[in-house]
């Protein structure tokens, strides 16, 4: 199935490149004759984010492929925002001054989107945002801006389903036998659309399955394993036997909770769910340390970021080449449930 899709996509690119190859030959005569390379700046919120580094790898793989197929050299520069919004805004300014053809931006602070869009618009440099979604009013500021990401509420919904199934199949999870599921929520970075949506929809989905819930605590660990471990060392002490489930907005923080349980030699079984299905989380799942996770398709996200950027760079409309772009601007990948086989 996946191979079929890949093959279909590859054939798609080949056709597109054949067509765009002819078209760009025509335009070469007009204006682009001094340009023998396409330059795309990829501005990342922080290089050491595990999931985002998966996306970066895919961008690079796809760059090689497009580069081989294209008649121009495709140059991609990754720039680390170090999780500092001011630094990233400077980097964006510099990239505009350096006349990159397109910017692909993983915002440190998505509330800065309007500023960024206006800067790029003035210089007529298109943007593909990804993973950190500007709000709709910002996305409406210009037509040459796109977004690649996933459907945050679906990840929450799938987590909720995994939790409901686990609860229904294992009566011993209800330690205090009150028929109510007591949980701890570990949230991603505040203000991140995925943190907000996953938190909200995971709980809604559990309740939609007819299960009563009680939140013991909900706290942020900024998507980070170490931070989650430190928070959980404390909460495991405070709530101890009361905890019946740990819901985490991503895998890294879920693994931080596992780390804390190991360090405290916590005896009680507590099911934990994450999101992303990164390799180390899937391994932990196989060992029984995690109960479930949700595949966040980094492959497709990476591919679509660079492909959209590529089409924009050669002055083509991505919508003419990529199916299922919603509202003229959004490409959203599907999540998939991952539990132990
Ligand atoms: C991922 C997290 C990641 C975050 C970064 C989310 O979609 O699930 O693992 O840390 O994006 O922005
Ligand atoms: Ca209970």
């Amino acid at each position: 199935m996946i191979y079929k899709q890949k093959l279909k996509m590859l054939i798609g690119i080949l056709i597109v490149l054949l067509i765009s190859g002819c078209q760009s030959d025509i335009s070469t005569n007009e204006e682009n004759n001094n340009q023998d390379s396409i330059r795309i700046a990829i501005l990342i919120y922080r290089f050491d984010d595990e999931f985002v580094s998966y996306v970066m790898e895919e961008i690079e793989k796809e760059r090689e492929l497009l580069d081989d197929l294209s008649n121009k050299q495709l140059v991609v520069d990754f720039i680390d925002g170090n999780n500092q919004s001011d630094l990233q805004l400077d980097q964006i300014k510099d990239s505009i001054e350096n006349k990159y053809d397109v910017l692909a931006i993983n915002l440190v602070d998505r509330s800065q989107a309007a500023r960024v869009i206006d800067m790029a618009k003035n210089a007529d440099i298109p943007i593909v945002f990804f993973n950190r979604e500007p709000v709709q009013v910002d996305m409406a500021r210009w037509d040459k801006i796109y977004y690649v990401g996933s459907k945050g509420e679906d990840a929450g919904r799938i987590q909720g389903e995994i939790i409901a199934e686990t609860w229904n199949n294992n009566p011993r999870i209800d330690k205090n036998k009150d028929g109510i599921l007591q949980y701890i929520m570990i949230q991603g970075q505040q203000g991140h659309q995925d943190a907000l949506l996953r938190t909200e929809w995971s709980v809604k989905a559990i309740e939609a399955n007819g299960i009563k819930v009680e939140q013991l605590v909900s706290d942020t660990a900024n998507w980070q394993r170490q931070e989650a471990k430190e928070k959980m060392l404390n909460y495991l002490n405070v709530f101890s036997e009361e905890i019946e489930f740990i819901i985490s907005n991503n895998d890294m923080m879920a693994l931080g909770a596992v780390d804390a349980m190991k360090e405290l030699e916590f005896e009680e079984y507590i099911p934990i769910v994450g999101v992303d299905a990164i390799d180390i989380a899937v391994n932990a799942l196989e060992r029984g340390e995690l109960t479930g996770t949700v595949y966040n398709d980094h492959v497709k996200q990476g591919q679509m970021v660079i492909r959209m950027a590529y089409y924009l760079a050669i002055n083509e409309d991505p919508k003419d080449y990529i199916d299922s772009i919603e509202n003229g601007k959004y490409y959203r990948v599907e999540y998939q449930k991952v539990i132990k086989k």
Side-chain angles (χ1 to χ4, degrees), residues 35 37-41 99-103 124-126 309 312-313:
Q35 263 193 336
S37 68
I38 293 166
R39 293 164 63 244
I40 299 168
K99 298 199 166 37
Y100 278 92
D101 296 300
V102 177
L103 308 180
D124 197 30
I125 300 180
L312 290 163

Side-chain angles (χ1 to χ4, degrees), residues 45 49 51-52 106 131-132 192 194 198 223 249-250 275-276 296 335:
Y45 99 97
D49 180 286
F51 173 75
V52 171
N106 173 221
N131 174 261
R132 294 166 160 242
H192 192 302
D194 286 338
R198 290 173 191 172
W223 303 118
N249 284 172
N250 79 347
V275 176
D276 285 338
N296 188 2
Y335 283 107

